[in-house]
Amino acid sequence: MNHEDTGRRLLQMADELAEYVTHLQYQLQPDLMDRFGERGRQLARQDSNYSIRYLAESVHMQSPDLFSHYTSWAMELLAGYKLSKEDMALNYRLIEQAVNEHFEEPDRNLIVQYVQVGLNQMQSAVASQSFLTADQPLADMATAYTNALLRADRREALQLVLDRVEAGIPITDLYLHVFQPSQREIGRLWQTNQISVAQEHLCTAATQMVMSHLYPYLFATQRTGGTMVAACVGEELHEIGLRMVSDLFELNGWDTYYLGANVPSRSLIRTLVEKKANIVAISATMTFHVHLVEELIAEIRSSEAGDNVHILVGGLPFNIDRELWRKVGADGYANDAQEAIRLADHWKHHRIGNELARPI
């Protein structure tokens, strides 16, 4: 049974199936129009499309955990818009019906198994917990910093950080124990409908501004000879995590080239060759972009850069499924910047001729 082909076909049909599922759901629940109006119907179709795309990616990558995690995330998100677990369960059952009507065996049976994973997850999902806890390093500062962002007080947020730098707090600690948990908490607050998407964007932009004030420290460190290129796949909107990784590589003496999102693979590969990169760091935060990581890695492997560069992946999908990096063909995975640097340093110091050392 070819999971990749099945997932690809499901992804290609996502728009058509989402329209069909929405039509069925509004037939069975005519009160939805009274509750949410025509705008709600459009959003329902969009949500069904997202669910099917996440489902397709999970099938493609043979990773039930990806769809299970998405289900928990979506339940909490949609609850903030007054959609119940029963509403979402009906939607999944209608997706199952649509799959049964539009696919033949064995594709049909395979996809339905993954839908069932989501339905089972609905029965055991628990509310997300704050990423700001008292037992973390710099916990008080992370909380104060996040509160300043939520008040849109960029000056206070910046001053908190600059004061700590002057007091001798390592830049690495600020990235790992202030910026990282703060950004994760901001994302959780948006997911649970406690802040708007506009607030989430403002908070992220503010943290990027604060990080920019630390660049003189990053570029003042002694060079160690390593070169890293970093890029996000597809139309990723969440680039700040990879930017943090790039910054801390720079702080640790690496020469870094952060390309951001929407970089054509040909341009990325040319950069790897021109810069004689030791590492390429590829990030995906949206699960339905994982197949793009797989495709990009295949292109790098088949290019002139493929024999000389280690491929490091990271982002939420790889945190959910800790074996996913193997499935996409990477050399390794890191949960945060510190782990990424440790792995990259290991690779850099364990080269034998033209052979590249694999993950520790």
Side-chain angles (χ1 to χ4, degrees), residues 1 17 51 102 158 182-183 187 207 256 278 281 291 295 322 338:
M1 187 178 298
L17 295 178
S51 294
H102 289 79
L158 174 60
S182 175
Q183 281 300 124
T207 290
T256 64
N278 307 107
H291 73 280
E295 293 170 4
R322 297 303 177 95
Q338 196 167 43

Side-chain angles (χ1 to χ4, degrees), residues 31-250:
D31 65 299
L32 290 176
M33 186 60 75
D34 295 330
R35 289 162 60 187
F36 304 110
E38 179 57 34
R39 173 63 174 162
R41 182 187 178 91
Q42 295 173 12
L43 292 174
R45 183 170 59 248
Q46 182 182 79
D47 290 338
S48 292
N49 191 301
Y50 276 129
S51 294
I52 293 166
R53 292 171 70 186
Y54 275 94
L55 176 64
E57 201 74 19
S58 298
V59 172
H60 182 126
M61 301 311 305
Q62 301 183 54
S63 179
D65 287 347
L66 292 179
F67 194 58
S68 178
H69 181 275
Y70 164 75
T71 299
S72 294
W73 178 88
M75 280 182 64
E76 196 159 21
L77 174 67
L78 294 177
Y81 294 94
K82 310 304 180 184
L83 284 165
S84 67
K85 180 172 71 175
E86 290 72 26
D87 292 328
M88 189 168 174
L90 175 59
N91 181 262
Y92 273 30
R93 288 194 294 271
L94 293 175
I95 290 174
E96 180 178 341
Q97 178 180 328
V99 167
N100 283 325
E101 293 179 12
H102 289 79
F103 286 82
E104 302 293 336
E105 295 294 354
D107 294 342
R108 177 168 57 200
N109 183 57
L110 175 60
I111 297 170
V112 166
Q113 289 178 28
Y114 280 75
V115 176
Q116 191 59 53
V117 167
L119 286 166
N120 292 340
Q121 181 64 22
M122 289 183 196
Q123 307 308 314
S124 57
V126 296
S128 62
Q129 301 298 311
S130 175
F131 288 98
L132 303 177
T133 58
D135 60 340
Q136 295 173 331
L138 300 179
D140 289 344
M141 181 185 176
T143 298
Y145 177 82
T146 303
N147 288 337
L149 295 184
L150 293 172
R151 294 194 303 272
D153 193 338
R154 294 176 296 173
R155 289 182 178 83
E156 180 179 343
L158 174 60
Q159 197 60 52
L160 279 169
V161 170
L162 295 179
D163 286 347
R164 291 302 179 98
V165 172
E166 289 298 318
I169 297 295
I171 301 294
T172 298
D173 288 353
L174 294 174
Y175 272 72
L176 294 177
H177 305 309
V178 178
F179 299 154
Q180 181 171 278
S182 175
Q183 281 300 124
R184 289 176 173 173
E185 179 64 6
I186 294 297
R188 188 189 73 84
L189 292 174
W190 169 78
Q191 175 193 347
T192 55
N193 204 33
Q194 297 182 59
I195 64 173
S196 69
V197 67
Q199 286 177 284
E200 187 270 336
H201 287 179
L202 282 171
C203 292
T204 299
T207 290
Q208 290 174 320
M209 179 274 294
V210 172
M211 288 165 52
S212 71
H213 279 74
L214 301 180
Y215 285 176
Y217 299 93
L218 303 183
F219 292 97
T221 55
Q222 183 176 355
R223 302 296 88 187
T224 62
T227 300
M228 190 269 277
V229 174
C232 301
V233 295
E235 298 178 356
E236 286 282 346
L237 300 177
H238 302 87
E239 300 180 38
I240 192 169
L242 186 59
R243 188 179 291 275
M244 289 183 187
V245 170
S246 297
D247 285 358
L248 291 189
F249 264 79
E250 193 74 41

